[in-house]
Amino acid sequence: MFVEVLQNVLNPSSLLLILTGVVLGNIFGAIPGLNTPIAIALVLPITMIMDPVPSVCILMGIYMGGVSGGLISAVLLKIPGTAAAVATVFDGYPMAERGEGTRALTIGAFASFFGGIFSSVMLLILAPLLSKIALTFGPWEYFGASILALSLVTVLAKGNMIKGCISLGIGLLACCVGQSPIDGVAYRYSFGSMYLRNGFALVAVVIGVFALPEIINNAARLKEIPVVNKVEKKFFHMLDFQSIKKNIRTLLRSSVIGTVIGILPGLGGGPAALVSYAAAKKASKTPEEFGKGCEEGVFASETANNATTGGALIPLLSLSVPGDTATAVMMGALVVQGIALGPKLSIDQPVLFRTIILAVFVANIFMFLYQASTLGLMAKILQVPKMYLMPYIAVFCITGIFCLNSNAFDLYYTMGFLVLGYILDKNGYPIAPLILGMILGKNVEENLRRAIVYYESFGKCVFRMSVGTVLFAIAVAVPVVVLVKEARRIQKEKMTRR
């Protein structure tokens, strides 16, 4: 089995696909307005015609490369390429202002590599253990895990919780279109249309509600050509051993923080980087230097946001619960491939399971080698006007959707989701709950119906002592606690004003 795993990943075609994914992810992560989920959504139609192993290789490459790519524009332009790189701006840009942009990028590249490798090791250790625990799960336990993931995403997504619930509700409603699960009797919300009997294609929804609105949002800034700080021309940018030794505690602390936060659904690299940055500042002997070009701040931010990658894959592979938006889109791609994610993946398909983990390791190595050798080239990519990039991306998206089923109807409802996504985004409604609702909605409904059939009623499900009941209770309690805290905060502010 071990030899077969090595053959799957270390053959020339797989390595080339991983490298291609890393390059594509880095470019999308580096250019403000683009991000990792858009890059994954762009290649979704392509992965549908691939075998599972090549598909996994390119997806893991994009995921690892995309999260790390945001540091380039964060350091050189003071514009984080992704939400995960927000904290990198605090010290990365001041370093670039005083002529240490190359140093900041080198630190960021190594920190990204360290965090990614650390979380990959945790993925190797924790995912099989969590899968073994999950094997004891029944439909009620799976329902509890899925509903908890949706609850956390709603609470922790940007914007207020009510808007998050509305966005989640839209996603769950969209998931209900088509043939009903379990019995397969009714065609729900199809309005007599044969095209809606199978529901909405996940790829079309993701591109419509996420990728295309981002392109429109950037249309107003097409003529912006960023002024990039000069980057030292060098064949390979490697951090010296003394700097690594000096910041090893920050690297380890930030890796742990990033991995733990990555496991929690709905958080991702942005919150992980901010929490890690705050922890590094608190532990530092010179906290007053943070925000003025402190190297430790760049170490903390970039280590944590890349450590979330392996962390987010742990619940995805072991529980079939995506940890962030990127893994949610990736889950759709893997499901289309026929890969049954969850606890049985490591038992029924052990070779594929270990192939995914090895692909993550290799992708992190390629990501570091690529960034360390092309920092100057990546800086020049930022100078390409968006007026040349956006039309090509839009054409690829539309072409990919049409190729799904070779009919124009997919394009019609994609345009509908485009309008919906644009309206939601402009009014402060988070998109992540909608996407996760669309992806997890089927699991929630199927497992709830199976649990009710098995235990005879919903009440009997709730009042039996099990892990599922605990997870369901937490899912209900978390929004209530957040609402109570928010009400107290508002009340306190009113009292202060008086």
Side-chain angles (χ1 to χ4, degrees), residues 20-368:
T20 302
V22 167
V23 174
L24 184 63
N26 254 264
I27 293 173
F28 270 69
I31 298 174
L34 303 181
N35 52 40
T36 311
I38 292 178
I40 296 175
L42 187 64
V43 301
L44 274 181
I46 301 173
T47 61
M48 292 178 65
I49 61 174
M50 292 181 173
D51 291 330
V53 171
S55 176
V56 162
C57 288
I58 192 168
L59 288 172
M60 295 304 157
I62 291 174
Y63 187 35
M64 300 305 137
V67 176
S68 180
L71 80 95
I72 298 169
S73 56
V75 170
L76 299 180
L77 302 176
K78 202 180 179 181
I79 304 172
T82 62
V86 170
T88 307
V89 173
F90 300 159
D91 288 287
Y93 188 72
M95 287 182 68
E97 282 188 312
R98 65 174 185 240
E100 297 180 0
T102 303
R103 172 74 176 173
L105 290 173
T106 304
I107 291 172
F110 180 82
S112 299
F113 169 70
F114 189 95
I117 290 295
F118 181 93
S119 66
S120 300
V121 174
M122 292 297 102
L123 172 64
L124 179 64
I125 296 171
L126 296 179
L129 294 176
L130 195 56
S131 294
K132 290 179 180 178
I133 295 172
L135 281 173
T136 62
F137 281 19
W140 178 243
E141 284 73 24
Y142 277 115
F143 168 76
S146 299
I147 208 72
L148 176 59
L150 295 178
S151 176
L152 289 173
V153 166
T154 303
V155 170
L156 299 171
K158 66 176 183 178
N160 65 53
M161 196 175 70
I162 302 299
K163 290 183 176 181
C165 288
I166 293 172
S167 182
L168 173 63
I170 294 172
L172 292 174
L173 185 62
C175 185
C176 290
V177 175
Q179 193 173 34
S180 63
I182 308 298
D183 52 48
V185 174
Y187 290 103
R188 304 174 301 187
Y189 307 111
S190 62
F191 303 100
S193 172
M194 60 176 292
Y195 295 109
L196 287 177
R197 288 189 172 186
N198 294 322
F200 297 120
L202 178 63
V203 178
V205 173
V206 170
I207 291 177
V209 82
F210 196 88
L212 294 179
E214 284 292 330
I215 295 173
I216 294 175
N217 286 333
N218 282 277
R221 302 189 293 272
L222 285 179
K223 295 183 179 179
E224 291 182 5
I225 303 177
V227 179
V228 180
N229 289 283
K230 290 183 178 180
V231 176
E232 179 185 339
K233 290 184 179 180
K234 193 176 178 181
F235 177 72
F236 194 83
H237 297 78
M238 180 59 190
L239 202 61
D240 58 282
F241 179 74
Q242 289 299 322
S243 296
I244 299 172
K245 183 180 178 181
K246 180 182 177 182
N247 292 278
I248 190 65
R249 289 185 179 180
T250 302
L251 287 167
L252 291 172
R253 184 198 316 112
S254 302
S255 296
V256 172
I257 291 172
T259 303
V260 171
I261 291 180
I263 294 173
L264 300 175
L267 288 177
L274 291 169
V275 171
S276 177
Y277 185 87
K281 185 176 181 179
K282 186 176 181 180
S284 177
K285 295 179 180 178
T286 56
E288 67 279 358
E289 295 296 323
F290 279 71
K292 301 177 182 178
C294 178
E295 293 185 358
E296 194 175 351
V298 180
F299 272 108
S301 170
E302 284 302 312
T303 304
N305 63 29
N306 281 267
T308 59
T309 55
L313 288 171
I314 292 172
L316 176 68
L317 297 181
S318 55
L319 296 175
S320 189
V321 174
D324 57 14
T325 308
T327 49
V329 180
M330 193 185 304
M331 178 180 175
L334 297 176
V335 169
V336 169
Q337 283 285 336
I339 300 174
L341 298 172
K344 289 188 177 181
L345 178 63
S346 61
I347 295 175
D348 295 345
Q349 297 177 287
V351 174
L352 180 61
F353 180 77
R354 286 163 178 77
T355 296
I356 294 173
I357 295 177
L358 182 58
V360 172
F361 272 98
V362 175
N364 274 291
I365 295 171
F366 276 17
M367 179 267 295
F368 174 65

Side-chain angles (χ1 to χ4, degrees), residues 263-465:
I263 294 173
L264 300 175
L267 288 177
L274 291 169
V275 171
S276 177
Y277 185 87
K281 185 176 181 179
K282 186 176 181 180
S284 177
K285 295 179 180 178
T286 56
E288 67 279 358
E289 295 296 323
F290 279 71
K292 301 177 182 178
C294 178
E295 293 185 358
E296 194 175 351
V298 180
F299 272 108
S301 170
E302 284 302 312
T303 304
N305 63 29
N306 281 267
T308 59
T309 55
L313 288 171
I314 292 172
L316 176 68
L317 297 181
S318 55
L319 296 175
S320 189
V321 174
D324 57 14
T325 308
T327 49
V329 180
M330 193 185 304
M331 178 180 175
L334 297 176
V335 169
V336 169
Q337 283 285 336
I339 300 174
L341 298 172
K344 289 188 177 181
L345 178 63
S346 61
I347 295 175
D348 295 345
Q349 297 177 287
V351 174
L352 180 61
F353 180 77
R354 286 163 178 77
T355 296
I356 294 173
I357 295 177
L358 182 58
V360 172
F361 272 98
V362 175
N364 274 291
I365 295 171
F366 276 17
M367 179 267 295
F368 174 65
L369 295 175
Y370 173 76
Q371 281 198 330
S373 56
T374 62
L375 289 178
L377 177 62
M378 290 298 294
K380 288 186 177 181
I381 290 176
L382 297 178
Q383 295 176 319
V384 178
K386 292 180 183 177
M387 61 187 298
Y388 299 126
L389 291 174
M390 296 304 169
Y392 285 109
I393 295 171
V395 168
F396 276 119
C397 288
I398 298 300
T399 304
I401 293 168
F402 181 78
C403 292
L404 289 175
N405 300 305
S406 298
N407 69 68
F409 187 79
D410 290 335
L411 295 177
Y412 298 154
Y413 67 74
T414 299
M415 293 302 105
F417 277 106
L418 162 62
V419 175
L420 175 64
Y422 185 78
I423 292 173
L424 291 176
D425 183 64
K426 285 300 180 181
N427 288 277
Y429 289 83
I431 302 299
L434 190 155
I435 295 175
L436 262 71
M438 180 74 185
I439 292 172
L440 291 179
K442 186 177 180 181
N443 287 339
V444 170
E445 183 180 5
E446 284 187 0
N447 286 302
L448 177 59
R449 292 182 65 173
R450 285 196 179 105
I452 291 174
V453 169
Y454 187 79
Y455 296 110
E456 298 179 352
S457 71
F458 181 73
K460 289 184 178 180
C461 292
V462 172
F463 291 108
R464 65 182 295 271
M465 291 304 297

Side-chain angles (χ1 to χ4, degrees), residues 465-480:
M465 291 304 297
S466 69
V467 175
T469 302
V470 173
L471 294 174
F472 178 72
I474 296 172
V476 174
V478 167
V480 173

